Amino acid sequence: MQHGKYRFIAGFLIVPLAIYAVFVIWPFVQAIYYSFTDWTGLSPDFKMVGFDNYTKMFDDGTFWKSAQHSVTYVLLLPVVVLALALFFAFMINVGGRRRKDAAIAGVRGSAFYKIVYFFPQVLSIAIVALLFQFAYNPRNGAFSAILRGIGLGSVQPDWLGDPNLALWCIMAVLVWTQVGFFVVLFSAGMASIPKDFYEAALLDGANRFTTFFRITLPLLWDTVQSGWVYMGILSLGAEAFAVVQIMSVGPGGPADSTTVLPLLVYQKAFRDGQAGYATTIGVALLIITLIFSAIVMRLGRRERLEF
């Protein structure tokens, strides 16, 4: 019976594992292999160059600047996005005034707020980047118009043209696009927490601040941890690349002030014809992503709470 059971399980697993190996594991193996070659990406002819690409990468100032920007994204974006999303979700679900029919309630119009917050998720990231590119126009963009409207017309920053501002302006767009998704995600998690917990805490004299850190956050921690990892991977991946590629000067400028690792991989592979070197940078990006995920999972480990 045991052997039959194992054959039955293996029969179900062999196909999905084979698909996973072909479409997920094998591309990683290929990328690592090509990182040791001088492949241009255009010709089938290439030769092994050993660790030359890695030596070149460590001596590349643009790589280190891009890595710095990517690390800045992965350290700040999850903190800002998740903090805002937790605050908004808490206010929507728990932060309202007491009503006659319930001691715990969200703010009025909470369903409408969920739709408003989630709206950026409906739009393509390319459309969002183009809209904000127009909004950041220093002459007739929305943000400059707001400054003029409040009497700060003399303050006309070159939002995307200033090396000191461009990175933060693009980061603000990524925050705007992602907060809504996590508001809905955390709202679903908070809706599953029994209201009795909050009512008991209020009877004991706890305020909203205490109930959030003593009840909501501990019971929602698994969702927050998963969101942290997801947001970090997103900060290192396609979302950051798309926004920087569309919005920044160059792209990646001015003076490489907004270049991130995914954009550098794209430029080296498709602009400069250095696919082997691009895969080397991709391997470095993979290592950074794995280190980030491992640190978050390790630091966020705690006893599981059930209710």
Side-chain angles (χ1 to χ4, degrees):
M1 288 294 295
Q2 291 293 329
H3 294 292
K5 181 181 71 173
Y6 292 141
R7 284 197 299 269
F8 178 77
I9 295 174
F12 272 96
L13 290 180
I14 189 169
V15 174
L17 287 176
I19 294 175
Y20 184 82
V22 171
F23 292 102
V24 178
I25 302 299
W26 181 242
F28 282 112
V29 174
Q30 282 185 310
I32 295 173
Y33 170 75
Y34 284 124
S35 70
F36 293 100
T37 70
D38 63 351
W39 184 42
T40 64
L42 302 174
S43 171
D45 299 325
F46 57 86
K47 64 178 185 295
M48 300 296 293
V49 295
F51 288 94
D52 289 355
N53 286 329
Y54 289 90
T55 303
K56 178 181 177 180
M57 182 181 68
F58 287 123
D59 294 334
D60 189 349
T62 304
F63 165 77
W64 288 110
K65 187 176 289 188
S66 302
Q68 179 184 352
H69 298 157
S70 291
V71 171
T72 301
Y73 274 24
V74 81
L75 292 179
L76 294 184
L77 273 175
V79 174
V80 176
V81 170
L82 297 183
L84 289 174
L86 281 170
F87 172 76
F88 292 142
F90 186 76
M91 294 302 296
I92 288 173
N93 292 275
V94 187
R97 295 182 178 180
R98 299 186 186 184
R99 301 175 188 172
K100 294 181 180 180
D101 58 339
I104 296 297
V107 296
R108 294 189 182 278
S110 57
F112 172 75
Y113 290 134
K114 289 179 184 179
I115 296 174
V116 171
Y117 289 137
F118 192 76
F119 178 73
Q121 290 291 315
V122 179
L123 300 175
S124 166
I125 188 65
I127 298 298
V128 171
L130 286 173
L131 290 174
F132 273 92
Q133 188 179 42
F134 291 132
Y136 281 129
N137 190 301
R139 292 186 177 180
N140 51 15
F143 296 120
S144 296
I146 291 173
L147 291 178
R148 289 192 296 269
I150 61 177
L152 296 176
S154 59
V155 181
Q156 292 293 328
D158 188 2
W159 302 100
L160 298 176
D162 187 342
N164 298 319
L165 283 178
L167 184 71
W168 307 108
C169 291
I170 293 175
M171 188 181 297
V173 176
L174 290 170
V175 171
W176 185 82
T177 59
Q178 296 302 319
V179 165
F181 171 80
F182 289 101
V183 168
V184 175
L185 179 66
F186 294 152
S187 294
M190 291 179 189
S192 66
I193 299 176
K195 300 296 183 183
D196 296 345
F197 292 1
Y198 293 106
E199 293 173 358
L202 293 176
L203 289 175
D204 288 339
N207 54 28
R208 300 294 185 189
F209 183 85
T210 303
T211 56
F212 174 78
F213 284 100
R214 296 293 185 179
I215 297 176
T216 304
L217 190 58
L219 294 178
L220 204 64
W221 184 252
D222 288 343
T223 305
V224 173
Q225 187 181 42
S226 300
W228 202 293
V229 174
Y230 172 77
M231 193 62 216
I233 295 174
L234 182 146
S235 303
L236 293 169
E239 295 284 328
F241 161 75
V243 176
V244 173
Q245 169 72 10
I246 295 171
M247 293 184 61
S248 64
V249 179
D256 293 328
S257 61
T258 59
T259 305
V260 290
L261 288 177
L263 177 64
L264 187 62
V265 171
Y266 172 82
Q267 290 176 337
K268 293 300 180 182
F270 298 101
R271 186 193 65 185
D272 301 337
Q274 301 177 18
Y277 181 50
T279 56
T280 305
I281 300 173
V283 171
L285 180 59
L286 170 64
I287 293 173
I288 293 174
T289 304
L290 292 176
I291 291 174
F292 168 79
S293 301
I295 291 175
V296 171
M297 298 301 293
R298 177 65 179 175
L299 295 180
R301 184 182 301 174
R302 60 173 61 186
E303 183 178 356
R304 185 179 179 86
L305 299 176
E306 297 182 358
F307 53 92

